[in-house]
């Protein structure tokens, strides 16, 4: 038996717990009496033939049980037992909390597709489709069966033909529904060579927002019609046509659609011909150009009625934005962004966009925000369309971010694709980082990097502090496991550590490394180590050594800081340990190589010291610093870690907040770290509330955003105590001054972030039941519904929520009427997110029923119910409603990431051990595919909330009472 392993340049092997690892990836189990590992860079044994690892590849030859391969391809078949054993060992090696593992085996590489020629004929009235395909196959070694992916398809007329036209008989067709595979057993053995698989297939155009699905819309005369839309990521191309549905199995595609003449047909590539369909004069045959070599999950086609606007980018790419009929003007902003982003990325990466066109399509029904299909990006309407009169500043910014994100994928994900879903972060983490680069380039007034900390880094830190987090690179087997890693770890932690790395090696070397990575691996598949190798080569820095711990280990460190003064020097003692939200010590003593920067009051924005903390502790000397001067760890919050200062050091920094000599990102970073330490029980909530008071005169949106997030978290907790109204009073006092200063009216030439700040503060004051804000909201709402004065889009959501706080039936009916009459989906979203703020229990029950009605699209049901679950009263109602209607929810959302979001929003804000047990027991009895990790995380969060209240509720009540009394005296 011979197994070949191919590793990228620079990979080294180390010995760990009787296993061989390559840059941290488990390659092979072994016995100590059979192999020896030495640190010289060579592996030596009687049975092992090895080259030095400085070469491009090496070929150790193992004479032992074959294992699933991690870094390349394996000759021969993997045994099921060995594959399962490998998966288990890999998860243990990555220190992952074990979840139930469903047996899974990837498709064999003995037969691989080279090219697909596919014809699809959808019926958008009966909501079915039929098609046929011819797949050019390369048979690598003799086989007596062909295995590929197929799900919920009826297969017919299956034939295997060689290049001479000789047909091989298929003796049996096995449809393995559980593993989503079709197995064609052959009468005779196929020898290596080229063959053609020809077959027909039929399927339903489902309404589950995956595969080839239907999206409902109304025509100009009010007729209900359907578009046909595809969503194949991660593993749903197999629902539309039989295929090798794995990201590493790439091929080219010729796609033909047979559609009504009055419908627009779109695909990844431009149209090359349109011909009549002989069997039906109402149809025509639309053939598209051949694609580059690509993964199946990036194939896309759309059939429907659309308008479009177009522009040719500076580098010659035809860009079109397709919108629902009558809304093409709403596509102009997205078109502008796309046409500018493509040449920017070309210049930044040094690699051209390889397709001749780029289509952006707004889809009425869409589960995610958008999908990066190569050359045909699909979007939820609210992530692409902008109405100048009715779109808020926040939403316009979001559209720019989403367009930038999806177009970044045209390089990261499409041109170069992760080898398997374990490396999903190579797609999503990079695109999340790069989206900020392009938005900052196009719209410097957005100051997007100042928002990166609150919108990206902080959510990742919060999730990654849980014991039930997961590494960025988490072993993925069965497709059911994939949806759960489309989360804040893959996206936001991935982006945050790339930002840290970008800062460490510098922009020039980062760009050189990106170009090297993309050109070296274009049209191919990669592992994380390939990226580190390119960046190391470009920067001449040990990127792989530093970064592997950040991707392969879950969690992050807290850096503890103490100091002493010696003359004009400050001697710092630093130590690291894993930060856990429950305050416990990490049993594994996990360590990271941490890029550290330190700034001082003399130069707050320029680090005076930069180094890599390689061990558990370090001593650092700051020169020329007086005793009364402060220093700040992690300036700009670039590093992905928390900082815990000894009390005296913290006092200096709080004083710098008061005088605003500490830069905005460092002000919010100090607050963010302190609240995390409070949750972990390392500091008191009263101390955090005292720090909050230092922000009363704050004028920066990003800082206020973090302040409001902290108050919102406390509000969720204190709703379970008698102190909730006291917190609202505290919040009104804290936010009142800046809210009154900004007022309701925007000023001419007002800064972008000032507009966001006004919306933020008014919205939070409404949730604190501020009487002035609610009265003004009531006045504006009455003028709005009478058609006398439209509420500005920037605080329309605030007004809707404020007027519903009274809980009156008439206001609820008013909002429902606005929802039903709105043609802009953003307006529907505003109403949907406001409905949960009603305080009336009976009306909230109506809202829950409304969420599941035909009036609300499936994609939006989750957000209406999540809105209800945002309050203590609504949370209990929504959770009970979910349990009572479990079968309905499971049928509608099973296997969709929307269910993951719903479970999280329904459960994570409870705050008692009883609820934690209830949630655990419910999901033990009602298996919820793809939500196992989310349930564990939510239960852990509930217990953290309960512990937090148990520690601090009484002291918080005393503190808030004293503040309320003091305010009353004033």
């Amino acid at each position: 038996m011979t197994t070949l392993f191919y590793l990228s340049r620079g990979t080294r092997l180390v010995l760990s717990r009787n296993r061989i690892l390559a840059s941290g990836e488990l390659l092979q189990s072994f016995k100590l009496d059979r192999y020896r590992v030495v640190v010289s860079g060579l592996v030596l044994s009687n049975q092992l033939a090895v080259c030095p690892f400085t070469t491009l590849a090496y070929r150790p030859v193992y004479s032992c049980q074959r294992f699933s391969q991690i870094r390349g391809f394996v000759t021969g078949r993997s045994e099921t037992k060995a594959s399962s054993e490998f998966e288990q060992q890999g998860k243990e090696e990555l220190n992952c909390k074990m979840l139930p593992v469903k047996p899974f085996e990837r498709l064999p590489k003995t037969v691989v597709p080279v090219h697909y020629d596919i014809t699809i004929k959808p019926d958008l009235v009966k909501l079915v489709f039929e098609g046929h395909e011819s797949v050019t196959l390369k048979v690598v070694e003799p086989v007596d069966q062909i295995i590929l992916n197929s799900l919920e398809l009826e297969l017919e007329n299956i034939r295997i033909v060689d290049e001479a036209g000789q047909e091989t008989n298929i003796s049996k067709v096995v449809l393995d529904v559980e593993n989503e595979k079709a197995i064609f057993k052959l009468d005779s053995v196929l020898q290596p060579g080229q063959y053609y698989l020809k077959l027909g297939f039929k399927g339903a155009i489902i309404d589950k927002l995956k595969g080839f699905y239907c999206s409902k819309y109304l025509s100009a005369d009010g007729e209900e019609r359907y578009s046909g839309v595809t969503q194949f990521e991660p593993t749903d191309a197999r629902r539309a046509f039989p295929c090798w549905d794995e990201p590493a199995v790439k091929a080219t595609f010729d796609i033909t659609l047979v559609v009504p003449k009055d419908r627009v047909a779109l695909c990844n590539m431009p149209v090359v011909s349109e011909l009549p369909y002989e069997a039906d004069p109402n149809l025509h045959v639309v053939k598209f150009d051949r694609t580059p070599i690509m993964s199946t999950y990036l194939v896309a086609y759309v059939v429907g009625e659309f308008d479009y606007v177009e522009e040719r980018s500076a580098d010659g790419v035809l860009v079109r934005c397709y919108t629902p009929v009558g809304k093409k003007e709403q596509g102009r902003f997205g078109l502008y962004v796309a046409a500018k982003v493509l040449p920017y990325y070309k210049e930044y990466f040094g690699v051209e966009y390889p397709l001749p066109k780029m289509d952006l399509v707004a889809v009425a029904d869409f589960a995610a925000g958008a999908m990066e299909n190569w050359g045909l990006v699909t979007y939820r309407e609210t992530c692409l369309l902008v109405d100048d009169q009715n779109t808020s500043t926040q939403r316009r910014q979001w559209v720019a971010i989403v367009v930038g994100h999806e177009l970044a994928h045209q390089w990261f994900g499409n041109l170069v694709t992760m080898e398997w879903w374990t490396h999903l972060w190579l797609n999503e983490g990079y695109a999340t980082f790069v989206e900020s680069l392009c938005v900052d380039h196009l719209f410097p007034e957005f100051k997007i990097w100042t928002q990166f900390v609150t919108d990206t880094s902080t959510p990742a830190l919060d999730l990654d502090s849980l014991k039930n987090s997961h590494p960025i690179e988490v072993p993925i087997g069965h497709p059911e496991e994939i949806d759960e890693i489309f989360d804040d770890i893959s996206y936001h932690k991935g982006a945050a550590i790339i930002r840290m790395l970008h800062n460490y090696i510098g922009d020039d070397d980062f760009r050189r490394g990106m170009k090297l990575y993309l050109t070296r691996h274009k049209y191919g598949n990669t592992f994380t180590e390939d990226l580190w190798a390119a960046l190391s080569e470009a920067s001449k820095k040990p990127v792989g050594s530093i970064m592997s711990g950040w991707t392969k280990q879950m969690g992050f460190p807290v850096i503890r800081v103490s100091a002493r003064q010696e003359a004009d020097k400050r001697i710092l003692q630093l130590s690291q340990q894993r930060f856990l939200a429950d305050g416990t010590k990490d049993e594994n003593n996990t360590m990271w190589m941490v890029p550290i920067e330190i700034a001082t009051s003399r130069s707050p924005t320029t680090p005076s010291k930069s180094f890599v903390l390689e061990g558990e502790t370090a001593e650092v000397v700051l020169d020329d610093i007086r005793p009364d001067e402060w220093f700040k760890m992690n300036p700009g919050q670039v590093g992905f870690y928390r900082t815990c200062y000894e009390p005296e050091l913290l006092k200096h920094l709080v004083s710098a907040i008061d005088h605003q000599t500490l830069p905005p990102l460092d002000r919010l970073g100090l607050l963010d770290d302190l609240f995390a330490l409070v949750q972990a029980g390392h500091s008191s909530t009263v101390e955090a509330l005292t720090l909050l008071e230092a922000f009363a005169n704050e004028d920066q949106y990003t800082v206020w955003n973090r302040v409001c997030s902290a108050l919102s978290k406390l509000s969720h907790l204190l709703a379970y105590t008698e102190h909730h109204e006291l917190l609202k009073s505290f919040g009104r006092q804290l936010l009142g001054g800046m809210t009154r200063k900004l007022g309701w009216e925007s000023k001419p030439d007002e800064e972008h972030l000032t507009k966001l700040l006004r919306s933020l503060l008014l919205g939070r004051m409404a949730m604190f039941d501020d009487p002035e804000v609610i009265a003004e909201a009531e006045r504006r709402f009455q003028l709005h519904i009478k058609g006398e004065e439209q509420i500005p889009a920037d605080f329309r959501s605030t007004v809707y929520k404020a007027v519903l706080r009274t809980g009156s039936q008439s206001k609820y009916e008013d909002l429902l009427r606005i929802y039903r009459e709105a043609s802009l989906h953003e307006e529907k979203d505003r109403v949907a997110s406001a409905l949960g703020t009603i305080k009336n229990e009976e009306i909230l029950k109506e809202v829950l029923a409304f969420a599941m009605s035909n009036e609300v699209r499936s994609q939006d049901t989750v957000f209406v119910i999540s809105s209800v679950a945002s309050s203590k009263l609504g949370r209990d109602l929504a959770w009970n409603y979910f349990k009572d209607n479990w079968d309905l929810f499971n049928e509608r959302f099973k296997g969709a990431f929307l269910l993951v979001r719903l479970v999280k929003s329904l459960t994570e804000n409870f705050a008692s051990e009883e609820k934690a047990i209830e949630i655990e027991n419910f999901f033990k009895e009602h298996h919820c595919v793809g939500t196992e990790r989310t349930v564990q995380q939510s239960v852990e969060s509930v217990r953290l909330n309960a512990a937090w209240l148990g520690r601090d509720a009484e002291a918080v009540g005393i503190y808030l009472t004293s503040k309320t009394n003091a305010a009353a005296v004033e």
Side-chain angles (χ1 to χ4, degrees):
M1 297 181 180
T2 302
T3 301
L4 305 182
F5 292 95
Y6 287 78
L7 279 80
S8 60
R9 187 192 308 271
T11 304
R12 65 188 183 90
L13 293 185
V14 295
L15 174 62
S16 175
R17 297 189 213 163
N18 294 356
R19 299 187 181 98
I20 298 177
L21 296 106
S23 295
E25 293 213 21
L26 180 65
L27 289 182
Q28 179 76 41
S29 288
F30 70 101
K31 296 179 181 178
L32 283 173
D33 61 356
R34 297 189 64 182
Y35 302 101
R36 292 184 295 121
V37 178
V38 295
V39 296
S40 64
L42 300 178
V43 178
L44 305 175
S45 86
N46 294 332
Q47 298 170 318
L48 218 51
V50 190
C51 307
F53 299 136
T54 52
T55 59
L56 212 63
Y58 73 95
R59 300 185 179 189
V61 181
Y62 293 86
S63 177
C64 57
Q65 173 69 51
R66 284 181 244 190
F67 275 66
S68 293
Q69 186 263 352
I70 275 280
R71 292 268 329 157
F73 67 87
V74 178
T75 62
R77 301 177 198 157
S78 299
E79 302 296 333
T80 303
K81 179 180 177 183
S83 180
S84 174
E85 200 172 76
F86 172 86
E87 180 69 18
Q88 173 115 353
Q89 290 168 347
K91 289 191 175 184
E92 290 172 351
E93 197 64 51
L94 288 167
N95 192 29
C96 259
K97 179 147 185 174
M98 289 294 294
L99 295 170
V101 177
K102 188 171 183 178
F104 173 75
E105 188 174 348
R106 287 171 64 174
L107 295 172
K109 302 301 188 290
T110 51
V111 178
V112 292
V114 176
H115 176 71
Y116 294 80
D117 192 334
I118 305 172
T119 297
I120 305 283
K121 180 174 172 286
D123 185 328
L124 295 173
V125 176
K126 296 180 181 179
L127 298 181
V128 294
F129 67 92
E130 61 185 48
H132 56 85
E133 66 181 9
S134 174
V135 187
T136 305
L137 302 177
K138 179 182 179 182
V139 175
V140 178
E141 62 180 63
V143 294
D144 60 4
Q145 64 180 10
I146 294 174
I147 304 175
L148 69 163
N149 294 116
S150 181
L151 181 62
E152 298 176 355
L153 294 174
E154 179 184 336
L155 308 184
E156 58 188 16
N157 302 323
I158 307 167
R159 301 165 57 218
I160 304 290
V161 182
D162 65 17
E163 290 186 282
Q166 185 69 35
E167 188 168 336
T168 299
N169 188 50
I170 297 172
S171 60
K172 186 177 182 182
V173 175
V174 179
L175 297 181
D176 182 355
V177 176
E178 183 176 359
N179 291 301
E180 304 178 0
K181 294 175 181 176
I183 304 168
F184 304 149
K185 295 185 178 293
L186 311 176
D187 270 352
S188 58
V189 174
L190 292 185
Q191 297 301 319
Q194 183 168 293
Y195 296 83
Y196 302 93
L197 169 64
K198 300 175 182 288
L199 74 161
F201 51 90
K202 296 178 181 178
I205 303 177
I206 59 176
D207 61 353
K208 304 296 184 184
L209 307 180
K210 58 186 177 181
F212 188 22
Y213 72 91
C214 56
S215 177
K216 185 170 64 176
Y217 66 98
L218 296 178
S219 67
D221 57 4
E223 179 187 354
E224 189 175 279
R225 294 179 182 173
Y226 291 93
S227 298
V229 183
T230 59
Q231 171 59 41
F232 292 159
E233 188 183 30
T235 58
D236 289 310
R238 64 193 66 179
R239 296 176 185 270
F241 56 91
C243 57
W244 280 254
D245 201 12
E246 295 182 359
V249 189
K250 291 189 169 186
T252 55
F253 294 80
D254 285 335
I255 295 178
T256 301
L257 298 177
V258 181
V259 298
K261 289 181 177 179
D262 62 350
R263 298 295 192 269
V264 175
L266 302 171
C267 196
N268 302 87
M269 297 296 287
V271 174
V272 292
S273 69
E274 295 183 62
L275 299 172
Y277 184 60
E278 294 182 1
D280 187 339
N282 295 314
L283 304 179
H284 67 158
V285 181
V286 184
K287 182 173 178 56
F288 298 90
D289 207 351
R290 180 165 297 183
T291 70
I293 185 171
M294 61 190 287
S295 304
T296 51
Y297 81 89
L298 295 168
V299 173
Y301 39 90
V302 175
V303 181
E305 295 179 280
F306 300 98
D307 287 339
Y308 70 86
V309 288
E310 70 177 26
E311 181 178 336
R312 195 167 291 276
S313 69
D315 54 346
V317 179
L318 179 62
V319 184
R320 285 181 173 174
C321 184
Y322 287 85
T323 74
V325 174
K327 294 185 177 182
K328 69 178 184 180
E329 293 304 312
Q330 295 177 20
R332 291 203 178 275
F333 180 74
L335 175 69
Y336 168 82
V337 175
K340 299 298 182 187
V341 163
L342 287 174
Y344 170 75
Y345 283 155
K346 173 188 172 182
E347 189 271 335
Y348 191 86
F349 300 137
V351 177
E352 289 189 350
Y353 173 67
L355 274 62
K357 63 96 173 175
M358 167 54 65
D359 292 334
L360 294 72
V361 187
V363 177
D365 293 281
F366 201 81
M371 175 60 206
E372 67 268 19
N373 315 298
W374 216 353
L376 179 61
V377 183
T378 44
Y379 295 81
R380 186 182 282 229
E381 286 187 16
T382 52
C383 295
L384 182 61
L385 303 186
V386 170
D387 182 322
D388 289 337
Q389 296 301 313
N390 295 292
T391 293
S392 67
T393 301
Q394 184 79 59
R395 181 64 65 174
R396 184 184 295 264
Q397 175 181 292
W398 179 240
V399 168
I401 288 171
V402 175
V403 172
H405 181 100
E406 302 308 324
L407 297 197
H409 277 309
Q410 307 303 302
W411 284 263
F412 290 94
N414 300 7
L415 182 64
V416 179
T417 311
M418 75 270 161
E419 194 276 341
W420 184 244
W421 300 105
T422 291
H423 305 274
L424 173 69
W425 89 280
L426 285 174
N427 286 15
E428 301 302 348
Y430 254 81
T432 302
F433 172 76
V434 170
E435 76 191 21
S436 295
L437 283 176
C438 83
V439 171
D440 186 57
H441 171 75
L442 293 179
F443 306 100
E445 68 275 15
F446 288 3
K447 299 181 180 177
I448 204 70
W449 285 114
T450 69
Q451 301 179 59
F452 185 93
V453 175
T454 52
D455 295 346
T456 302
S457 297
T458 293
L461 288 164
D462 289 344
L463 178 57
D464 209 27
S465 66
L466 299 180
K467 289 181 175 178
N468 286 292
S469 180
H470 64 82
I472 284 177
E473 294 182 84
V474 58
I476 292 294
H478 197 277
E480 288 180 0
E481 302 172 22
I482 298 171
D483 277 340
E484 280 201 288
I485 63 167
F486 282 83
D487 64 1
D488 282 337
I489 300 299
S490 296
Y491 283 74
H492 292 161
K493 182 180 180 181
I497 68 164
I498 290 301
R499 178 174 178 248
M500 179 171 68
L501 175 60
H502 175 269
N503 184 71
Y504 170 65
I505 67 176
D507 187 64
D508 289 343
D509 286 343
F510 183 82
R511 292 176 69 170
R512 278 194 291 271
M514 289 300 90
K515 181 177 181 179
L516 183 61
Y517 172 76
L518 291 170
T519 53
R520 179 178 288 170
H521 301 289
K522 62 183 178 180
Y523 303 110
N525 297 85
T526 58
F527 300 80
T528 298
E529 286 74 19
D530 297 313
L531 178 61
W532 299 155
L535 291 169
S536 294
E537 189 173 331
S539 66
K540 311 302 182 192
K541 292 183 177 180
V543 172
S545 299
I546 292 173
M547 298 305 295
S548 61
W550 294 96
T551 61
K552 296 182 183 302
Q553 300 175 148
M554 65 178 172
F556 58 87
V558 55
I559 308 297
R560 298 186 178 275
V561 189
S562 61
R564 68 181 188 274
Q565 189 78 24
E566 294 184 2
D568 62 348
K569 299 180 185 294
R570 191 81 53 88
I571 315 300
L572 311 186
Q573 297 293 333
L574 308 183
S575 65
Q576 66 158 306
Q577 67 180 70
R578 182 181 172 191
F579 180 80
L580 290 168
D582 65 358
T584 58
K585 182 174 174 56
D586 175 32
E587 296 176 357
N588 297 303
N589 197 32
T590 310
M591 293 286 127
W592 288 264
M593 294 182 70
V594 189
I596 298 285
E597 292 186 333
I598 306 172
T600 67
S601 52
R602 295 193 183 186
S603 182
T605 59
T606 304
S608 61
K609 185 75 69 173
S610 300
F611 62 98
V612 175
L613 176 62
E614 297 187 12
E616 185 174 355
T617 63
E619 184 174 274
V620 181
V621 178
L622 300 181
D623 295 316
D624 194 23
I625 179 171
R626 299 191 307 270
D628 62 334
E629 292 180 311
W630 53 260
F631 70 90
K632 166 72 168 55
M633 300 285 295
N634 201 13
Q637 298 303 110
V638 174
F640 193 76
Y641 57 87
R642 299 283 188 196
T643 306
C644 179
Y645 299 92
E646 64 179 8
E648 194 60 33
L649 297 176
L650 191 59
K651 286 181 183 178
H652 282 292
L653 292 169
V654 172
S655 176
I657 292 175
D658 285 332
H659 296 94
Q660 294 203 352
T661 55
L662 197 65
L665 285 178
D666 295 304
R667 300 200 292 271
L668 79 86
L670 203 64
L671 176 64
D672 198 39
D673 287 345
L674 182 58
F675 262 87
L677 292 167
V678 167
Q679 182 184 44
H682 297 316
S683 189
S684 73
T685 307
V686 169
E687 184 178 359
L689 288 168
T690 303
L691 178 61
L692 280 177
E693 292 186 87
F695 293 96
N697 296 317
E698 179 60 56
D699 60 359
Q700 294 296 309
Y701 165 74
T702 48
V703 182
W704 274 117
N705 194 5
R706 189 64 193 100
V707 169
C708 289
S709 294
L711 289 171
S712 178
K713 177 64 177 178
L714 289 175
S715 180
H716 285 312
L717 290 172
L718 295 181
Y720 292 98
T721 72
E722 66 273 23
H723 312 313
H724 196 210
E725 292 302 318
L726 293 173
L727 179 69
K728 290 181 184 179
S729 175
F730 177 85
R732 292 193 296 268
Q733 293 174 46
L734 181 61
L735 275 62
M738 185 55 63
T739 303
R740 288 187 289 273
K741 180 178 178 181
L742 291 175
W744 286 76
E745 303 297 338
S746 61
K747 315 297 188 294
D749 301 321
E750 191 169 62
E751 287 190 0
H752 175 80
L753 293 185
T754 302
K755 294 177 181 178
L756 298 185
L757 178 57
R758 177 182 292 104
S759 301
L760 173 71
L761 295 181
L762 287 172
R764 182 47 53 188
M765 288 289 275
M767 293 301 99
F768 287 149
D769 294 326
D770 182 77
E772 292 182 14
V773 169
I774 289 179
E776 179 62 12
E778 292 271 10
R779 186 188 73 81
R780 289 173 178 264
F781 184 72
Q782 290 304 316
L783 294 174
H784 182 76
I785 61 176
K786 292 176 183 177
E788 296 178 10
E789 183 179 327
Q790 191 176 60
I791 302 169
D794 278 346
F795 44 82
R796 203 174 294 171
S797 179
T798 292
V799 169
Y800 293 167
K801 290 178 180 179
V803 299
L804 284 174
R805 300 286 288 173
T806 61
S808 71
Q809 185 72 34
S810 63
K811 293 292 191 333
Y812 174 59
E813 297 294 340
D814 286 338
L815 266 295
L816 282 185
R817 185 170 62 255
I818 291 172
Y819 182 94
R820 289 163 178 154
E821 294 175 356
S823 61
L824 183 68
H825 208 104
E826 180 184 347
E827 182 73 351
K828 289 183 180 291
D829 280 0
R830 275 193 280 259
V831 175
S833 65
L835 293 178
T837 61
I838 297 169
K839 298 179 181 180
N840 183 296
E841 182 174 340
E842 294 305 313
I843 300 177
L844 283 174
K845 291 178 181 178
E846 291 184 38
V847 173
L848 291 170
F850 172 73
M852 295 296 286
S853 72
N854 291 333
E855 290 192 76
V856 179
R857 295 179 185 270
S858 291
Q859 66 182 24
D860 301 321
T861 293
V862 168
F863 302 107
V864 178
I865 295 175
S866 297
S867 170
V868 174
S870 63
S871 69
K872 177 181 178 294
L873 172 62
R875 193 170 305 124
D876 287 321
L877 290 172
W879 171 237
N880 289 331
Y881 184 81
F882 177 79
K883 292 187 296 178
D884 293 342
N885 294 276
W886 162 250
D887 290 339
L888 179 59
F889 279 101
N890 192 39
E891 190 279 329
R892 182 179 293 192
F893 297 110
K894 182 178 180 180
F897 80 93
L898 285 172
L899 188 58
V900 175
R901 289 188 179 183
L902 181 60
V903 168
K904 177 180 172 67
S905 66
L906 283 176
T907 57
E908 68 177 353
N909 287 315
F910 285 114
S912 70
E913 177 62 21
E914 292 75 18
K915 277 296 180 186
I917 294 171
E918 179 185 329
I919 294 164
E920 279 183 318
N921 289 339
F922 178 82
F923 286 107
K924 283 178 184 176
E925 297 170 7
H926 302 83
H927 179 58
C928 197
V929 173
T931 66
E932 293 87 354
R933 192 186 307 277
T934 301
V935 171
Q936 290 183 353
Q937 291 169 349
S938 289
V939 168
E940 183 178 354
S941 295
V942 171
R943 290 189 165 121
L944 289 170
N945 293 341
W948 192 339
L949 285 178
R951 284 192 310 268
D952 284 5
E954 184 177 353
V956 167
I958 294 170
Y959 177 83
L960 291 176
T961 299
S962 69
K963 289 297 173 182
T964 300
N965 292 340
V969 171
E970 293 175 4

